[in-house]
């Protein structure tokens, strides 16, 4: 089956492409490096021609609301419109658990993406997932200086490979609308995960100081609110896998 992967060169996108190939499907990567620009729409219709499904894992790295909303609005409109013209039967998109409860600028952009997909003609499935394990390192890298200030959030992170497997499963099935939320196997403290990552050599060694922020993030706003599928790879197992894959 020909399945297009929007953002197929990112962390989640590469994992989705690998899963598709391992299952014998033909992924088509939609990225600027492959001649497709989601924001301008250049090359998009041609790349989608003949595709039965699209998995949209496109992303923008920003903490600015205007940038997040601008990207997901333009990319979402272009993708939905081109998919409709190309006769795509199913659009699958991951979102974020708690996206409608935690007031983060980036989350506003993801909510806009959800609205565009839900308002489009192409049959769709949206699956909200918790943060990837890579999120811990990203949180640390975004804090410069000799001390790492890490929010006192509780999270239930998951391996990106397991998210990719779930997205492919959904793409191969019938459109479901809002799918059950996907989360990792354990509820964790983000502060504790940051300290464990640093101790394992996965981030620059420095003290981690809890940053007490008011609001939903500290009170479990990033956790799933009901039953749903859960990953099996723990953070400890993921750390071991990462260390084994890192050249000494």
């Amino acid at each position: 089956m020909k399945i297009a992967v929007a953002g197929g060169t990112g962390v989640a996108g590469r994992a989705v492409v690998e899963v598709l190939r391992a299952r014998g499907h033909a992924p088509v990567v939609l990225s600027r490096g492959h001649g497709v620009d989601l924001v301008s729409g250049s090359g998009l219709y041609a790349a989608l021609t003949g595709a039965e499904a699209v998995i949209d894992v496109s992303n923008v790295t920003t903490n600015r609301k205007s940038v997040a909303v601008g990207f997901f609005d333009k990319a979402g409109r272009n993708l939905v419109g081109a998919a409709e013209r190309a006769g795509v039967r199913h659009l699958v998109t991951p979102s974020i658990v708690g996206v409608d409860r935690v007031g983060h600028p980036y989350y506003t952009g993801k909510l806009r993406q959800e609205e565009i997909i839900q308002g489009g003609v192409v049959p769709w499935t949206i699956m909200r997932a918790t943060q990837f394990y890579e999120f811990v390192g990203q949180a640390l890298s975004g804090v410069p200086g000799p001390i790492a200030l890490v929010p006192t959030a509780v999270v239930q992170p998951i391996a990106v490979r397991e998210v990719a497997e779930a997205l492919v499963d959904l793409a191969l099935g019938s459109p479901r609308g809002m799918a059950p939320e996907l989360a990792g196997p354990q509820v964790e403290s983000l502060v504790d995960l940051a300290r464990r990552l640093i101790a394992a050599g996965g981030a620059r060694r420095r003290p981690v100081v809890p940053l007490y922020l008011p609001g939903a993030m500290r009170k479990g706003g990033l956790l799933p609110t009901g039953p749903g599928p859960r990953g099996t790879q723990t953070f400890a197992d993921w750390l071991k896998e990462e260390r084994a894959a890192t050249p000494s």
Side-chain angles (χ1 to χ4, degrees):
M1 181 185 294
K2 179 179 178 180
I3 299 178
V5 183
T9 57
V11 172
R14 291 194 301 271
V16 169
V17 168
E18 290 174 2
V19 171
L20 286 169
R21 286 176 177 158
R23 297 192 188 185
H25 297 285
V28 176
V29 175
L30 309 181
S31 70
R32 283 189 293 245
H34 290 77
V36 178
D37 190 321
L38 292 175
V39 175
S40 71
S42 175
L44 188 52
Y45 172 75
L48 290 178
T49 301
E52 295 188 47
V54 177
I55 300 175
D56 180 14
V57 284
S58 59
N59 190 34
V60 62
T61 302
T62 184
N63 283 320
R64 293 176 57 192
K65 178 180 176 180
S66 60
V67 174
V69 173
F71 172 81
F72 286 113
D73 184 86
K74 292 178 182 177
R77 289 181 182 276
N78 287 335
L79 185 59
V80 169
E84 179 184 352
R85 294 194 301 274
V88 172
R89 67 166 184 83
H90 193 182
L91 173 58
V92 177
T93 304
S95 189
I96 307 168
V97 170
V99 69
D100 52 351
R101 300 191 302 272
V102 175
H104 189 280
Y106 176 81
Y107 286 15
T108 306
K110 290 294 291 183
L111 280 172
R112 182 65 185 134
Q113 181 187 41
E114 288 190 5
E115 292 170 359
I116 291 170
I117 293 167
Q118 292 168 355
V121 174
V122 180
W124 55 273
T125 301
I126 294 174
M127 181 190 71
R128 292 178 176 177
T130 52
Q131 288 72 29
F132 305 150
Y133 288 135
E134 287 82 358
F135 171 75
V136 182
Q138 293 167 357
L140 286 171
S141 64
V143 183
I147 296 175
L149 295 174
V150 177
T152 55
V154 285
V155 293
Q156 196 168 340
I158 187 169
V160 67
R161 174 78 182 197
E162 294 184 312
V163 176
E165 295 276 5
L167 290 172
V168 171
D169 287 341
L170 290 170
L172 297 177
S174 300
R176 300 181 59 179
M178 295 300 296
E181 294 179 336
L182 175 65
Q186 298 173 348
V187 176
E188 307 270 11
S189 157
L190 183 57
V191 171
D192 179 61
L193 294 180
R195 287 170 174 159
R196 289 165 64 186
L197 183 65
I198 290 174
R204 179 163 60 93
R205 187 170 294 276
R206 52 183 168 155
V208 173
V209 176
L211 178 62
Y212 293 92
L213 297 178
M217 184 179 294
R218 184 171 60 87
K219 298 178 181 179
L222 296 175
L223 302 179
T225 57
R230 299 293 180 260
T232 59
Q233 186 180 39
T234 65
F235 186 73
D237 290 337
W238 177 80
L239 275 179
K240 292 177 183 177
E241 187 176 278
E242 289 294 299
R243 284 200 300 266
T246 302
S248 56

